[in-house]
Amino acid sequence: MNQRRARQRLLRLWSVLGGVTLVSAAWAASLVPPPLRAAIIVRSSGYERGFAERGGDAVLAVVAPKSGPAAEDGQAVAAIFERLLAENKIAERKVRVLRITHQTVEKTVEALKEQDVEIVYFASGLEDIIKSVPAQSGSTRRILVCADGADVQAGCAIGVELASERPRLVLNLERANNAGLRFEPDFLRLARIVR
């Protein structure tokens, strides 16, 4: 019964999000606007069974460079995550948002480890470092998220893309399986799967 309610909530979210018309020409053609992207990521993360089964508070990190368009994207998405997660939980877990300014892979990986981060959002432009970030640290499995669904093949488990001007979840099933992530089967049917 809980799975059925969860599926219905997800389908309602998707229908609302899918009906949003994208009118801003300022965003790159391949990127879903930050508010929509953040909402999809928050909802999607809750359908990973391991994340949902763990107790206690969780940490979501936004990794962005120091300057440039990717930094602006990271700041915008982090601010939206902070607003969303101040009032909402992911899978009944309170989530704290952490901002990490990427300088080197070593420093980024260390910051993720120190804070026991479970969800990592990479701002657009950081796809070259994704494969260097472990999807697991000790017993903590991480959901690695790309800003752009086209970058999911770079090593993220999840991304969001535009398909006919509608947002669509992209899931790298091989990366997710290798990281020990287990998404609900009904949820998988809503995503474009890449391997």
Side-chain angles (χ1 to χ4, degrees):
M1 186 60 102
N2 286 339
Q3 280 186 332
R4 184 177 181 175
R5 275 189 238 140
R7 182 171 186 238
Q8 289 172 341
R9 282 190 312 235
L10 182 62
L11 290 172
R12 277 195 305 271
L13 172 72
W14 242 250
S15 66
V16 169
L17 294 176
V20 173
T21 303
L22 303 175
V23 294
S24 175
W27 297 105
S30 63
L31 289 180
V32 173
L36 207 46
R37 199 176 338 142
I40 291 170
I41 292 164
V42 164
R43 180 62 89 179
S44 301
S45 299
Y47 288 94
E48 197 282 311
R49 287 185 224 155
F51 182 89
E53 290 170 358
R54 287 188 288 278
D57 294 352
V59 179
L60 181 155
V62 175
V63 180
K66 189 173 185 176
S67 61
E72 293 170 13
D73 174 67
Q75 292 168 3
V77 172
I80 295 162
F81 279 139
E82 288 166 350
R83 283 194 304 270
L84 277 173
L85 295 169
E87 299 174 5
N88 300 293
K89 296 179 180 182
I90 299 177
E92 303 303 319
R93 297 179 67 193
K94 186 175 178 180
V95 180
R96 177 173 59 92
V97 178
L98 172 70
R99 296 178 189 219
I100 297 175
T101 301
H102 174 70
Q103 297 170 15
T104 66
V105 172
E106 295 78 21
K107 287 182 180 180
T108 297
V109 169
E110 186 59 34
L112 295 171
K113 183 178 179 181
E114 284 176 4
Q115 297 294 320
D116 201 25
V117 174
E118 293 182 64
I119 303 170
V120 184
Y121 173 88
F122 294 95
S124 183
L126 292 179
E127 46 283 339
D128 291 344
I129 71 160
I130 295 165
K131 287 191 177 178
S132 301
V133 175
Q136 188 165 347
S137 178
S139 63
T140 301
R141 291 190 174 105
R142 295 187 180 127
I143 302 171
L144 302 181
V145 182
C146 287
D148 187 348
D151 296 332
V152 167
Q153 291 182 321
C156 285
I158 296 176
V160 182
E161 68 182 4
L162 288 177
S164 301
E165 296 195 10
R166 291 187 175 188
R168 177 173 59 181
L169 181 71
V170 181
L171 177 68
N172 184 329
L173 194 57
E174 182 178 341
R175 178 71 168 177
N177 288 339
N178 289 343
L181 302 176
R182 302 164 311 189
F183 288 92
E184 298 289 339
D186 290 340
F187 177 72
L188 295 176
R189 291 187 194 113
L190 299 174
R192 179 173 74 86
I193 307 294
V194 298
R195 298 177 198 276

